[in-house]
């Protein structure tokens, strides 16, 4: 098969390689479409979630790139328990650019996917729609329902308390807003002014504020009545951390524990009275992996919660209650992906995922 493989740090190319080996608890798919994961800015200091950063920052060579996919099942491992058969159309997530492993990665003609981290594509979704859901599904499950322990759409909150989704026009933010609204929360967010109406009209956010406004945090505190206890930071840099800290309730003792969940490590968070957590999506696979020279141990609980809630996410999509983040389909197949990666490197995308068809 053909695949986009890291040749050396900072360089990837299309190469011909043997199809990935099918393990007992995996399925093999013929890839139909893939989505590129953007970062809201061309920030080279943090590695996630952008696929181009895997190439440029920490992959060593030999790894297949790409995480989000949709495709057709061609083979099923002997230990797979999911209700799936050969010929089914599925979407899901793979561990792209996994160091020391040449059999994972979505930017290829064939991919292998772990049981529980995929689902059948609902009838109301195209292959291109479905390709955008993998990372968003895992990240929001881990962030909203595990790290922050917030209510789910299946068990909505009886109290309409506020949540700040920082970076509402990001791919993760758009999904987080909808899930929080379906769970009965009062959702405020930040974005650039050009995306205000999009977030209100399409994704139902209750209030949106300009992160460039010097009074952004003060306005959020006013909107939430100084009672904001939860922040889901989908941007995760020093500026978002500062605004998030200033937006939270002024006293943890008066309102209960304050929680700040980020998608990336942040160098400094200017409050010591806030409980912090970080989502590292690779833990969803429940397997060991290397990350920036550090060996990470398996986290079975992360795999368990993702497999538990993936069917809920799929049902919300199928019912039309959950809309995908905005995306643009571009031509060129595997070759075209290199153009998309460069667009993301240069930070030229906004409120949009890039999707490429790999086969028909």
């Amino acid at each position: 098969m053909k695949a986009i493989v890291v040749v050396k740090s900072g360089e990837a190319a299309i190469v011909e390689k043997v199809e990935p080996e099918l393990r007992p608890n995996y399925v093999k798919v013929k890839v139909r479409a893939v989505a590129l994961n953007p970062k809201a800015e061309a920030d080279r200091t943090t590695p996630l979630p952008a696929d181009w950063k895997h190439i440029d920052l920490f992959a060593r060579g030999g790894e297949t790139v790409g995480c989000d996919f949709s495709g057709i099942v061609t083979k099923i491992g002997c230990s797979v328990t999911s209700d799936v058969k050969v010929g089914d159309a599925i979407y899901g997530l793979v561990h792209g650019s996994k160091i020391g492993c040449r059999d994972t990665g979505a930017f290829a003609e064939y991919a292998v996917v772990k049981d529980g981290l995929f689902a059948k594509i609902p009838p109301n979704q195209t292959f291109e729609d479905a390709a955008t859901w993998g990372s968003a599904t895992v990240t929001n499950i881990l962030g909203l329902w595990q790290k922050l322990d917030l209510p789910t759409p299946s068990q909505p909150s009886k109290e309409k308390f506020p949540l700040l989704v920082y970076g509402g026009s990001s791919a993760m933010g758009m999904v987080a807003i909808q899930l929080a609204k379906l769970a009965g929360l009062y959702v405020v967010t930040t974005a650039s002014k050009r995306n205000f109406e999009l977030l209100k009209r399409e994704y139902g956010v209750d209030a949106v504020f300009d992160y460039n406004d010097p009074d952004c945090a003060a306005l959020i505190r006013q909107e939430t009545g100084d009672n904001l206890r939860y922040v889901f930071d989908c941007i995760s840099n020093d500026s978002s951390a500062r605004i998030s800290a200033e937006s939270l309730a002024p006293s943890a003792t008066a309102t209960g524990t304050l929680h700040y969940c980020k998608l990336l490590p942040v160098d400094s968070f200017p409050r010591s009275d806030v409980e912090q957590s970080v989502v590292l999506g690779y833990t969803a696979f429940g397997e060991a992996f290397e990350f920036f020279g550090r060996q990470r141990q398996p986290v079975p609980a992360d795999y368990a919660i993702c497999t538990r809630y993936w069917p809920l996410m799929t049902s919300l999509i199928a019912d039309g209650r959950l809309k995908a983040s905005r995306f643009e389909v571009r031509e060129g197949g595997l070759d075209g992906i290199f153009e998309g990666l460069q667009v993301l490197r240069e930070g030229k995308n906004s409120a949009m995922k890039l999707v490429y068809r790999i086969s028909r």
Side-chain angles (χ1 to χ4, degrees):
M1 70 170 187
K2 292 181 179 180
I4 294 181
V5 173
V6 179
V7 178
K8 60 182 180 181
S9 181
E11 182 181 341
I14 296 176
V15 303
E16 290 191 1
K17 60 181 290 187
V18 176
E19 288 183 20
E21 181 181 352
L22 181 65
R23 285 175 272 176
N25 58 337
Y26 279 67
V27 301
K28 183 181 288 189
V29 298
K30 180 176 177 60
V31 179
R32 291 288 297 269
V34 298
L36 278 59
N37 279 300
K39 182 75 167 63
E41 61 214 341
D43 174 8
R44 302 188 67 85
T45 63
T46 52
L48 295 173
D51 297 304
W52 65 266
K53 293 185 180 181
H54 297 173
I55 299 169
D56 291 2
L57 296 181
F58 68 94
R60 293 176 182 167
E63 304 94 347
T64 301
V65 186
C67 297
D68 288 356
F69 80 94
S70 63
I72 301 293
V73 176
T74 61
K75 292 183 180 180
I76 301 172
C78 60
S79 299
V80 170
T81 60
S82 294
D83 179 20
V84 65
K85 63 183 183 297
V86 171
D88 281 345
I90 66 171
Y91 74 97
L93 182 75
V94 300
H95 191 153
S97 302
K98 184 178 182 180
I99 293 174
C101 183
R102 298 171 182 265
D103 283 343
T104 64
F107 297 171
E109 292 177 323
Y110 290 88
V112 287
V113 195
K114 189 168 185 177
D115 194 15
L117 298 180
F118 65 83
K120 295 178 185 178
I121 298 176
N124 62 346
Q125 299 282 292
T126 65
F127 282 103
E128 292 76 24
D129 293 321
T132 68
W133 281 111
S135 294
T137 295
V138 161
T139 302
N140 278 283
I141 289 173
L142 291 176
L144 297 179
W145 301 336
Q146 187 194 56
K147 303 296 184 182
L148 292 177
D149 195 23
L150 293 172
T152 69
S154 58
Q155 293 183 305
S157 174
K158 297 178 181 179
E159 173 195 358
K160 197 173 185 179
F161 59 86
L163 166 71
L164 168 60
V165 176
Y166 194 103
S169 62
S170 68
M172 300 302 171
M174 291 178 189
V175 176
I177 288 169
Q178 297 176 82
L179 290 172
K181 287 291 295 179
L182 290 170
L185 307 187
Y186 186 83
V187 185
V188 299
T189 193
T190 62
S192 58
K193 286 186 176 180
R194 65 178 178 273
N195 291 319
F196 277 22
E197 287 306 311
L198 167 71
L199 294 173
K200 291 178 180 178
R201 181 183 66 252
E202 298 293 331
Y203 299 99
V205 73
D206 292 295
V208 56
F209 300 92
D210 183 359
Y211 58 82
N212 290 310
D213 186 339
D215 296 323
C216 180
L219 292 170
I220 292 172
R221 284 180 57 181
Q222 180 180 349
E223 180 72 20
T224 58
D226 269 344
N227 192 39
L228 178 67
R229 293 183 289 124
Y230 297 92
V231 177
F232 188 42
D233 185 353
C234 297
I235 302 300
S236 306
N237 58 24
D238 288 341
S239 177
S240 69
R242 176 183 56 80
I243 294 173
S244 296
E246 294 174 358
S247 300
L248 283 162
S251 170
T253 56
T255 60
T257 305
L258 306 179
H259 302 268
Y260 171 68
C261 180
K262 54 204 172 187
L263 302 189
L264 301 165
V266 175
D267 289 337
S268 62
F269 188 78
R271 290 182 65 169
S272 59
D273 62 335
V274 177
E275 184 178 287
Q276 297 184 56
S277 57
V278 62
V279 174
L280 186 57
Y282 303 132
T283 62
F285 297 91
E287 300 172 356
F289 62 96
E290 183 181 331
F291 188 68
F292 271 81
R294 178 183 171 188
Q295 190 67 21
R296 302 273 182 157
Q297 296 305 310
V299 186
D302 287 10
Y303 176 64
I305 195 170
C306 287
T307 58
R308 173 187 174 190
Y309 281 118
W310 201 296
L312 171 61
M313 294 287 289
T314 303
S315 69
L316 294 173
I317 297 166
D319 292 343
R321 301 173 68 195
L322 194 59
K323 295 188 293 186
S325 56
R326 298 180 73 200
F327 66 91
E328 175 185 341
V329 179
R330 295 197 172 189
E331 301 301 327
L334 288 174
D335 293 282
I337 287 174
F338 292 100
E339 175 196 15
L341 292 171
Q342 190 59 33
V343 168
L344 301 183
R345 281 189 182 95
E346 296 172 3
K348 292 183 176 178
N349 69 306
S350 177
M352 188 77 66
K353 266 194 170 186
L354 303 181
V355 172
Y356 289 83
R357 299 185 185 98
I358 305 303
S359 66
R360 295 184 183 275

